[in-house]
Amino acid sequence: MASSHSSSPVPQGSSSDVFFKIEVDPSKHIRPVPSLPDVCPKEPTVTDQHRWTVYHSKVNLPAALNDPRLAKRESDFFTKTWGLNFVDTEVIPSFYLPQISKEHFTVYQQEISQREKIHERCKNICPPKDTFERTLLHTHDKSRTDLEQVPKIFMKPDFALDDSLTFNSVLPWSHFNTAGGKGNRDAASSKLLQEKLSHYLDIVEVNIAHQISLRSEAFFHAMTSQHELQDYLKKTSQAVKMLRDKIAQIDKVMCEGSLHILRLALTRNNCVKVYNKLKLMATVHQTQPTVQVLLSTSEFVGALDLIATTQEVLQQELQGIHSFRHLGSQLCELEKLIDKMMIAEFSTYSHSDLNRPLEDDCQVLEEERLVSLVFGLLKQRKLNFLEIYGEKMIITAKNIIKQCVINKVSQTEEIDTDVVVKLADQMRMLNFPQWFDLLKDIFSKFAIFLQRVKATLNIIHSVVLSVLDKNQRTRELEDISQQKNAAKDNSLDTEVAYLIHEGMFISDAFGEGELTPIAVDTTSQRNASPNSEPCSSDSVSEPECTTDSSSSKEHTSSSAIPGGVDIMVSEDMKLTDSELGKLANNIQELLYSASDICHDRAVKFLMSRAKDGFLEKLNSMEFITLSRLMETFILDTEQICGRKSMSLLGALQSQANKFVNRFHEERKTKLSLLLDNERWKQADVPAEFQDLVDSISDGKIALPEKKSGTTEERKPAEVLIVEGQQYAVVGTVLLLIRIILEYCQCVDNIPSVTTDMLTRLSDLLKYFNSRSCQLVLGAGALQVVGLKTITTKNLALSSRCLQLIVHYIPVIRAHFEARLPPKQYSMLRHFDHITKDYHDHIAEISAKLVAIMDSLFDKLLSKYEVKAPVPSACFRNICKQMTKMHEAIFDLLPEEQTQMLFLRINASYKLHLKKQLSHLNVINDGGPQNGLVTADVAFYTGNLQALKGLKDLDLNMAEIWEQKR
């Protein structure tokens, strides 16, 4: 039988029980103390009966170790795993394991002895659990056998007789059917059914009684304590009633008034919120009219900010309001319309800015309007406005040239515009001074145009950079804010964890004052709206009533444009840093493009004028003036735009090459004509040529300016004096020197043609050398000019002219070297080749003079006879020819060259005389023939040394005699 806790025979622990006063050191526990057996066993269940324990094991250890698959039983367990060859060896005791003896368990036995005594006492009080379970199991099996006699239908949880099927199965109608004379049998069946049901009832009642008997003490204890429980419930009910009365009084006295005040405050706050919401709706309702007003004054940025703010308010604060359901789409359409208006406005502004009179001193037209337009376009990501500006620049550049041509043609009386209709044809009718003035005017207008473009693009560039700078500063502030918020969150989490650990509410720990900044910021963002009015003084919550003219994400900061305009940079720009940087680069490229456009239009203007060969027909001074003007314009545009445009420079180089070709061909043709008409006679030197040579000696390689009134009074000189030396020259060489100076001066005026001029000048000098050689040495002048013969004077004059050119070649080389880039110094070798060719030519002329006298000696001395009279006719003729030679060349060649030439002629004379004497068998024997020859030689020597400049000439006439053997 089960018993209650109060009647339990288990001894209850108290302060006087000796059994529960023993303190055991926890550190000495070897194993946990087993729990005491159940004093009042519970009713066994099917799960407890069939639960497997270690005691149900029916296999012993030997059976587990035996392997029936082996024919031979192993004597050891290890042979099963390691095979039959395993050898059992003696296990050596480990040094690390202590020897266990009985004394090791003494402490444990002392600790467990008291528990063992308690356990024995409990066993005497309560029957063994196994015996009780066995009896209980037997009783349970018997009860279960009895219950199996009862049909299962009575055990169903949904058993109900009102169900027809259940009723028919429990009480079949066959037992109650009395028709057909079967009444006695049916009555017996009914009686049998009644007895069967009574038997089932008895079985159930017996089992119920058995179950009640098992828990009799619990029933008795419940019945005994029912009165006590009723008394306790009565007292509890009274205490609850008193508590409720007290709570009601406290609620009435202390809480009702405060709660009413809180309700009123909450109601007032709700009314304020509704008022602010209605006020916000009224403000939003005025958005479209306000946008129209802003657009009428071209305030595109303000209109876009207003639209963005209104859309944000609609999405956050006024979402779901039926009256505003179409406002969002209307604002989107309005924003698209503003985009088109801004592009059209920017196009109009560009046209007005670029096409206003160039005489206007204002660099930027309506700077504030430009800044507003650029900010609006950047805000809407309309970055193609630079392409629009570029197209306007091209149109403006065309119009500038067209207008300049029209103005110039209208000022020229020689052009009949009625006859010549086309503007290009009218422009081609201008002479060079008029066309040059037109080109100068175009270049000046282009310079002003580029300055205006640069000023405008600088404003746009400054706006882009200000937006980029604002983006970077905003990102830095966000990073700093995130770091602060992360640190604050960490400290907040720590504090919250502490408060939760202490059992406090977070709302109690954090006052409203600490959350005010966040609340105010959130509220201000929610209530942000355009064109708001200040709140009335009777408002309760100022932060809730406050409205701002910008969105919560449109905080702005002011910055200054170089032109002096203060701008407001909003934070809602949709452009990234990379896009802004690319846009800034495109602005700079657009400035470069403006310079290229001006240069391209100037090139087309030049080409249209050059169609009839006008530029190629310019003289040197005109082309140099044109070249300087174009180079000045190129430098000006480079200074304005920061990059040199190459189109006009290329056109200038092309025209310069054509000019160089024409320049060279003209002078080469002129030189050819001069040489073909040159009679190779000494020419008088005009004073201007002497001045030209003197200026070269002074280091000024340029054509001297003409002096009025002085050149006519000075007489021409016979020779040209160069650095103290006299040069007898022909007229062609004088003009050649002037031509050479023209080449050098052209290089100074047009530095870009230095290399071409060097090549052309080298060709000119080579041409003069070769052509003069053909005419003099080759005797071409006989047919070209009609000379009868090429005299020694012609040869000497040609040699002296070549020497003059050779004298100036180093000067020319130095002039070109100073103007050539270092990488082109190799071209100077042309002058070395020319110098060598000229020296060879001079040597050939000298050889030709010697050859003339050599043939004369051969002709005269071959007829020489040693006989009287003395001097002989042969030697008289030789001296006569030598005198003529001297007279021909002495005034042309320097004294040193004359002496060297006569030494070579004398050597030829001695060679021929020696040969003739050897032929005549005249020897130096002091005989009559020797005396005659000596007299003739003395006559020859006396005449030769009597010539001017040959007095000290060492003739060494003893060489005419053969040495004695």
Side-chain angles (χ1 to χ4, degrees), residues 142 236 255 332 336 406 431 500 574 583 645 733 820 830:
K142 183 180 179 185
T236 304
C255 298
C332 291
K336 294 179 181 178
I406 292 175
N431 55 29
I500 294 175
K574 303 174 184 178
L583 184 60
S645 297
V733 173
L820 278 176
H830 293 299

Side-chain angles (χ1 to χ4, degrees), residues 833-885:
H833 299 329
I834 292 171
T835 303
K836 181 177 180 301
D837 294 341
Y838 272 67
H839 281 300
D840 293 342
H841 189 184
I842 294 170
E844 289 179 3
I845 291 177
S846 299
K848 182 65 175 177
L849 292 174
V850 175
I852 291 174
M853 297 305 296
D854 184 76
S855 62
L856 182 62
F857 293 149
D858 183 41
K859 179 180 178 181
L860 294 176
L861 290 176
S862 63
K863 300 178 181 180
Y864 174 64
E865 294 180 357
V866 183
K867 64 181 180 178
V870 177
S872 62
C874 177
F875 273 82
R876 287 194 183 97
N877 290 332
I878 290 175
C879 290
K880 183 179 179 181
Q881 295 298 329
M882 292 288 284
T883 303
K884 289 182 179 181
M885 170 69 73

Side-chain angles (χ1 to χ4, degrees), residues 647-661:
S647 58
L648 186 59
L649 186 63
L652 176 61
Q653 186 64 39
S654 176
Q655 292 298 325
N657 292 335
K658 294 180 180 179
F659 169 75
V660 168
N661 291 333

Side-chain angles (χ1 to χ4, degrees), residues 718-920:
E718 294 183 357
V719 293
L720 186 67
I721 301 175
V722 179
E723 297 180 0
Q725 292 189 13
Q726 295 181 356
Y727 286 89
V729 293
V730 296
T732 302
V733 173
L734 293 176
L735 296 176
L736 177 61
I737 293 175
R738 185 180 181 86
I739 291 173
I740 292 174
L741 290 182
E742 289 178 355
Y743 276 83
C744 295
Q745 188 172 7
C746 186
V747 168
D748 290 337
N749 296 327
I750 312 176
S752 60
V753 300
T754 302
T755 54
D756 291 337
M757 279 296 182
L758 189 150
T759 305
R760 301 301 193 281
L761 182 57
S762 301
D763 179 67
L764 186 71
L765 293 175
K766 290 179 181 178
Y767 176 77
F768 174 77
N769 184 39
S770 61
R771 187 60 178 161
S772 62
C773 181
Q774 293 173 2
L775 292 174
V776 180
L777 282 178
L782 299 180
Q783 292 80 19
V784 175
V785 185
L787 294 180
K788 296 181 180 180
T789 181
I790 301 298
T791 64
T792 56
K793 192 171 185 178
N794 297 140
L795 291 173
L797 193 60
S798 174
S799 175
R800 196 55 176 162
C801 291
L802 294 174
Q803 292 175 22
L804 178 62
I805 301 301
V806 170
H807 174 79
Y808 283 115
I809 287 179
V811 180
I812 300 170
R813 176 193 174 103
H815 182 80
F816 277 89
E817 184 177 4
R819 287 151 183 80
L820 278 176
K823 61 181 180 180
Q824 293 180 346
Y825 281 168
S826 59
M827 298 185 65
L828 297 174
R829 68 180 183 275
H830 293 299
F831 292 110
D832 298 333
H833 299 329
I834 292 171
T835 303
K836 181 177 180 301
D837 294 341
Y838 272 67
H839 281 300
D840 293 342
H841 189 184
I842 294 170
E844 289 179 3
I845 291 177
S846 299
K848 182 65 175 177
L849 292 174
V850 175
I852 291 174
M853 297 305 296
D854 184 76
S855 62
L856 182 62
F857 293 149
D858 183 41
K859 179 180 178 181
L860 294 176
L861 290 176
S862 63
K863 300 178 181 180
Y864 174 64
E865 294 180 357
V866 183
K867 64 181 180 178
V870 177
S872 62
C874 177
F875 273 82
R876 287 194 183 97
N877 290 332
I878 290 175
C879 290
K880 183 179 179 181
Q881 295 298 329
M882 292 288 284
T883 303
K884 289 182 179 181
M885 170 69 73
H886 181 269
E887 292 176 352
I889 68 174
F890 182 77
D891 294 333
L892 302 178
L893 298 179
E895 184 176 348
E896 297 80 5
Q897 294 184 18
T898 304
Q899 291 178 358
M900 292 299 299
L901 180 62
F902 273 91
L903 283 176
R904 294 178 60 185
I905 293 173
N906 182 61
S908 175
Y909 162 77
K910 290 190 292 184
L911 182 62
H912 285 282
L913 181 58
K914 183 179 180 179
K915 180 180 179 182
Q916 184 63 23
L917 293 177
S918 176
H919 177 70
L920 296 175

Side-chain angles (χ1 to χ4, degrees), residues 279 384 773:
K279 187 176 179 181
N384 58 343
C773 181

Side-chain angles (χ1 to χ4, degrees), residues 340-352:
K340 296 179 180 179
M341 291 179 63
M342 285 193 301
I343 293 178
E345 183 71 14
F346 185 81
S347 178
T348 304
Y349 173 83
S350 301
H351 183 269
S352 301

Side-chain angles (χ1 to χ4, degrees), residues 383-624:
L383 306 183
N384 58 343
F385 67 93
L386 293 179
E387 299 177 1
I388 297 174
Y389 197 79
E391 294 173 357
K392 296 296 181 182
M393 287 193 307
I394 296 175
I395 297 174
T396 304
K398 292 180 180 179
N399 293 334
I400 288 174
I401 294 180
K402 184 176 181 180
Q403 190 61 39
C404 290
V405 173
I406 292 175
N407 294 337
K408 190 64 179 177
V409 169
S410 63
Q411 297 173 1
T412 306
E413 299 178 355
E414 292 83 1
I415 301 176
D416 188 359
T417 56
D418 296 333
V419 177
V420 183
V421 180
K422 292 184 179 181
L423 190 63
D425 296 336
Q426 295 174 0
M427 183 265 297
R428 293 189 187 97
M429 295 180 67
L430 298 174
N431 55 29
F432 178 77
Q434 295 171 343
W435 181 82
F436 183 78
D437 293 338
L438 173 61
L439 182 63
K440 185 187 296 185
D441 185 36
I442 291 174
F443 283 165
S444 63
K445 296 293 179 60
F446 273 158
I448 299 174
F449 168 73
L450 289 177
Q451 290 175 355
R452 289 186 176 179
V453 170
K454 181 179 180 181
T456 303
L457 293 181
N458 283 340
I459 297 296
I460 300 175
H461 191 262
S462 300
V463 173
V464 174
L465 291 183
S466 62
V467 175
L468 179 60
D469 180 66
K470 180 60 182 177
N471 287 351
Q472 294 175 352
R473 285 192 282 115
T474 302
R475 188 165 53 251
E476 292 175 358
L477 292 176
E478 289 177 355
D479 295 339
I480 296 173
S481 177
Q482 290 178 0
Q483 294 175 1
K484 290 182 178 179
N485 291 336
K488 185 176 181 180
D489 291 341
N490 293 334
S491 62
L492 185 63
D493 293 341
T494 305
E495 188 171 358
V496 169
Y498 172 75
L499 293 173
I500 294 175
H501 178 71
E502 294 294 326
M504 298 178 63
F505 292 103
I506 299 178
S507 60
D508 298 334
F510 294 99
E512 186 177 357
E514 298 180 9
L515 301 176
T516 300
I518 300 176
V520 170
D521 182 64
T522 306
T523 306
S524 64
Q525 290 183 5
R526 288 200 310 267
N527 294 301
S529 63
N531 300 331
S532 62
E533 299 176 358
C535 300
S536 58
S537 59
D538 59 348
S539 299
V540 176
S541 177
E542 292 184 0
E544 293 180 358
C545 182
T546 303
T547 57
D548 193 2
S549 62
S550 62
S551 172
S552 59
K553 65 179 181 179
E554 291 180 355
H555 304 292
T556 59
S557 64
S558 64
S559 60
I561 296 298
V565 180
D566 292 335
I567 58 175
M568 301 299 292
V569 183
S570 60
E571 291 182 355
D572 66 337
M573 289 294 178
K574 303 174 184 178
L575 298 174
T576 61
D577 290 353
S578 60
E579 290 175 332
L580 290 172
K582 184 178 180 181
L583 184 60
N585 294 333
N586 291 340
I587 293 173
Q588 187 63 39
E589 290 296 330
L590 186 60
L591 181 59
Y592 299 154
S593 177
S595 176
D596 294 339
I597 289 171
C598 294
H599 282 246
D600 292 341
R601 302 312 306 179
V603 169
K604 290 184 178 180
F605 178 75
L606 289 173
M607 293 300 102
S608 64
R609 188 65 181 92
K611 285 184 178 180
D612 54 354
F614 173 76
L615 298 180
E616 297 178 2
K617 298 176 183 179
L618 299 178
N619 57 39
S620 300
M621 293 306 298
E622 291 175 344
F623 186 83
I624 290 170

